[in-house]
Amino acid sequence: MRHVDEYRDPVRVAEAARRIRDAVTRPWTLMEVCGGQTHSILKFGLQELLPGQVELVHGPGCPVCVTPLEMIDRAVAVASRPGVLFCSFGDMLRVPGSREDLLSVRARGGDVRIVYSPLDALTLARRHPDRPVVFFAVGFETTAPANAMAVQRAAALGLDNFSVIVAHVLVPPALEALLGCSETRIKGLLAPGHVCVVSGYEAYEPLAARYRIPIAVTGFEPLDLLHGVLAVVRQLEAGTCRVENAYPRAVAAGGNAAARRVVGDVFAVVDRKWRGLGEIPESGLALAPKYARFDAEKIFDLELLDVSEPAECRSGLVLQGRLKPPDCPEFGRGCTPEHPLGATMVSSEGACAAYFHYRPAAAAAAAPAERRP
């Protein structure tokens, strides 16, 4: 199959769902790791096609959602400096920090611009050599190669007015933290396909062996996801635990060698705090020493912060697969896309946003009476 429509074919989707029903004999809880997968599951109603024994819970695979408050506050601090031209992907502008967001900085006159690639920020640095241009480098392994390439190009071009705030995180260490928790209900994983396009899936094999858990690398279309569920359910029923590639048209075991080389040149692995999850060892990326002159946190001498999440926001439990968004007391009431408490209601990959947009009945039921239609 070559075209998107074929991966949404109702006949093939129904057949895949039937195979899952035929394979399952016991209750199983599976986690889809990526927020893009969560949105597809809700958009296409895939949970309703699955047998009652198979429950899907939602994982921490949304880079916007797991960027900690401290990092948002640092971005706000830099963007507020006079003369700074601050560049970010659009989702990040409305993610709340401890006091305000980047959109608020823009509203009061800060030069905060939405870009679609780090190379757009590099172009702005060339056009404005007299101004500091800062790019907010956020994402998993998926976006790291392009951000690394932008830093390499800045070095080659001598653009010392260009810098980055690095908030990159790595998926396998976060999954290790979740699987190692005594309260976890996760019995199988749908690994993030686009991450594995870059990194491959070899890093997931030790997780499968250590925690005796089957993992299927899968994409984002209905058939991709159902084939991943089927692979995991068959393994669970058979008592096996290995990594299966259910996304072979895009993913190879070793990932993209060229992309991994550029990431390895520009970045170094570091401990990183995740929003809602806390600090996870060796779960992030920072600039390697030879590129330290492009580190905005050092250039602007940003103070170290330690900020607590709002007590009423339950996004940490959502990101751990321990709470469904409609079960949060603030969902659709104190937390909406217009007035979010946490990043999971802001991001285009956030689980709370997915439920709000694709489960209107749940959002309407949660809304206060005066706001209901």
Side-chain angles (χ1 to χ4, degrees):
M1 294 186 290
R2 296 169 302 185
H3 306 102
V4 169
D5 287 348
E6 292 174 293
Y7 291 91
R8 300 178 182 179
D9 181 271
V11 175
R12 291 190 171 107
V13 167
E15 173 61 18
R18 182 194 64 76
R19 290 181 180 177
I20 295 170
R21 288 194 297 271
D22 290 345
V24 69
T25 65
R26 288 172 284 173
W28 302 112
T29 300
L30 315 184
M31 172 180 278
E32 84 279 354
V33 174
C34 182
Q37 294 169 337
T38 301
H39 275 252
S40 290
I41 287 165
L42 285 148
K43 178 180 179 179
F44 295 105
L46 298 187
Q47 178 68 74
E48 285 71 25
L49 295 178
L50 296 175
Q53 300 101 313
V54 178
E55 179 188 7
L56 297 175
V57 297
H58 320 306
C62 166
V64 174
C65 301
V66 301
T67 301
L69 282 169
E70 293 90 339
M71 197 62 75
I72 303 298
D73 286 353
R74 289 171 193 155
V76 166
V78 172
S80 300
R81 300 282 183 99
V84 168
L85 197 165
F86 194 89
C87 301
S88 172
F89 297 134
D91 274 3
M92 296 304 300
L93 267 63
R94 295 188 61 246
V95 176
S98 62
R99 293 178 297 276
E100 61 179 338
D101 55 26
L102 287 166
L103 196 62
S104 300
V105 177
R106 181 173 174 173
R108 56 183 168 79
D111 195 351
V112 178
R113 305 194 190 186
I114 295 173
V115 295
Y116 299 94
S117 162
L119 298 180
D120 294 341
L122 208 62
T123 298
L124 288 169
R126 297 183 73 176
R127 289 177 182 171
H128 302 279
D130 57 332
R131 296 182 62 186
V133 175
V134 182
F135 176 69
F136 200 4
V138 174
F140 291 121
E141 294 91 331
T142 317
T143 55
N147 294 341
M149 185 174 65
V151 173
Q152 282 185 335
R153 289 295 299 154
L157 294 169
L159 293 176
D160 289 332
N161 65 320
F162 176 80
S163 63
V164 292
I165 295 178
V166 180
H168 278 297
V169 287
L170 306 172
V171 174
L175 296 181
E176 174 125 31
L178 290 179
L179 294 173
C181 176
S182 60
E183 298 176 355
T184 186
R185 299 187 298 123
I186 305 165
K187 302 300 181 184
L189 289 172
L190 303 181
H194 287 176
V195 166
C196 294
V197 167
V198 173
S199 64
Y201 55 82
E202 293 169 335
Y204 296 82
E205 291 172 341
L207 293 176
R210 185 176 305 122
Y211 295 100
R212 302 291 301 166
I213 187 168
I215 301 174
V217 179
T218 184
F220 302 84
E221 294 301 325
L223 271 180
D224 290 324
L225 289 159
L226 292 176
H227 286 162
V229 170
L230 179 60
V232 170
V233 165
R234 282 177 170 169
Q235 283 202 57
L236 287 168
E237 293 285 338
T240 59
C241 50
R242 63 181 185 279
V243 179
E244 288 190 49
N245 184 8
Y247 198 29
R249 70 182 186 278
V251 173
N256 185 311
R260 294 178 69 170
R261 278 195 299 272
V262 69
V263 170
D265 175 58
V266 173
F267 295 122
V269 175
V270 296
D271 299 345
R272 180 73 74 190
K273 184 175 180 180
W274 292 53
R275 191 169 192 160
L277 300 177
E279 184 165 301
I280 301 174
E282 298 185 344
S283 67
L285 297 175
L287 287 175
K290 68 177 179 178
Y291 293 104
R293 69 185 185 278
F294 298 104
D295 188 339
E297 294 186 59
K298 290 184 171 65
I299 292 169
F300 293 94
D301 193 25
L302 298 180
E303 61 178 322
L304 295 176
L305 303 169
D306 187 14
V307 186
S308 298
E309 294 285 337
E312 63 271 26
C313 181
R314 309 291 181 86
S315 61
L317 296 177
V318 172
L319 292 167
Q320 296 172 54
R322 295 169 58 189
L323 183 76
K324 294 289 181 71
D327 297 329
C328 173
E330 297 298 326
F331 176 81
R333 297 183 177 91
C335 184
T336 66
E338 292 77 23
H339 301 285
L341 285 175
T344 49
M345 186 60 90
V346 175
S347 171
S348 61
E349 294 187 347
C352 296
Y355 273 83
F356 196 93
H357 290 299
Y358 297 121
R359 293 281 183 86
E370 63 271 18
R371 286 179 46 209
R372 293 177 191 165

